[in-house]
Amino acid sequence: SMWHGGGTQNTQLFSAIQATEAQPICWEFDLYTQGLGNQRMTSTLDKVTWGWLEHGLYNDMVDPETGLATSGYGMRILGNGGPNWVSYPGQPAQREGWHHFSATIYPDRILFEVDLPATDALPAESLSYLVTGHDASALEWDEIKLGGPSGLSSAGGGAGYDNIHIYLVPEPASLALLGLGMFLMRRRRA
């Protein structure tokens, strides 16, 4: 885990991975925010030579249902037919605490999801937003960034990051083999 004050992003390269219909990419992270208001703190999944996916808190988005400007929880896809910053539908209220963000990336669509914590005034919420028309069929992701999107500052304060994962979802056949192996190991012990 790490604390980031906003601004210049921390960057880490990793071995390139590519999504297929049978094996989508799962990208997830937990983000802790202390305050409310003008925050720009995100995680970015990048391709060094292309563009990026971004997910987190931003202060200049469009609500996909109303078209109105808003700030808070959202995502963007830069390049290959994706939208610029959009909020989760319904513009959920920003809150303090740990938030779990995830995206499941297929060659032609991305499912963004966020789990927001309960507060004294707000119930816990789980929200999703499906982006279609995005061509990721030939993209190999190889970089993760944490901090202010595009290196921007965050006037509303920094954020904590934890449990950052990027992986290929196992194929159903692989899961079946894993399950069979676990069953046989359990049977052998008995």
Side-chain angles (χ1 to χ4, degrees):
S1 66
M2 66 173 269
W3 179 261
H4 196 293
T8 303
Q9 296 172 312
N10 291 62
T11 300
Q12 179 67 48
L13 295 173
F14 57 89
S15 296
I17 58 175
Q18 185 175 0
T20 65
E21 192 62 34
Q23 278 193 290
I25 295 170
C26 184
W27 160 46
E28 58 185 338
F29 63 98
D30 294 333
L31 180 72
Y32 180 82
T33 59
Q34 289 181 303
L36 306 176
N38 188 13
Q39 284 195 300
R40 296 185 288 211
M41 296 301 294
T42 65
S43 177
T44 304
L45 184 60
D46 208 340
K47 182 176 179 346
V48 174
T49 59
W50 172 74
W52 59 83
L53 307 176
E54 224 156 0
H55 203 189
L57 286 166
Y58 195 64
N59 65 344
D60 186 16
M61 295 182 285
V62 173
D63 182 310
E65 294 176 336
T66 66
L68 298 174
T70 186
S71 64
Y73 306 103
M75 71 293 301
R76 78 171 165 169
I77 300 172
L78 193 59
N80 285 35
N84 203 354
W85 279 103
V86 294
S87 72
Y88 277 92
Q91 302 176 14
Q94 194 173 335
R95 57 195 79 191
E96 182 178 355
W98 283 104
H99 309 66
H100 181 76
F101 291 86
S102 65
T104 306
I105 304 160
Y106 293 88
D108 62 349
R109 65 196 182 283
I110 302 171
L111 178 62
F112 289 97
E113 298 175 287
V114 63
D115 294 321
L116 304 174
T119 67
D120 291 340
L122 298 166
E125 290 184 76
S126 293
L127 305 163
S128 63
Y129 185 70
L130 180 65
V131 176
T132 59
H134 171 67
D135 181 11
S137 57
L139 299 179
E140 293 183 344
W141 304 97
D142 57 6
E143 185 175 24
I144 187 80
K145 296 177 181 176
L146 305 174
S150 302
L152 296 173
S153 64
S154 180
Y161 291 88
D162 203 0
N163 301 314
I164 303 156
H165 302 279
I166 304 163
Y167 56 91
L168 290 171
V169 176
E171 293 180 85
S174 298
L175 286 175
L177 287 175
L178 178 62
L180 178 62
M182 292 176 71
F183 171 76
L184 292 174
M185 286 178 60
R186 179 182 238 171
R187 188 170 178 210
R188 187 176 188 196
R189 285 185 182 169

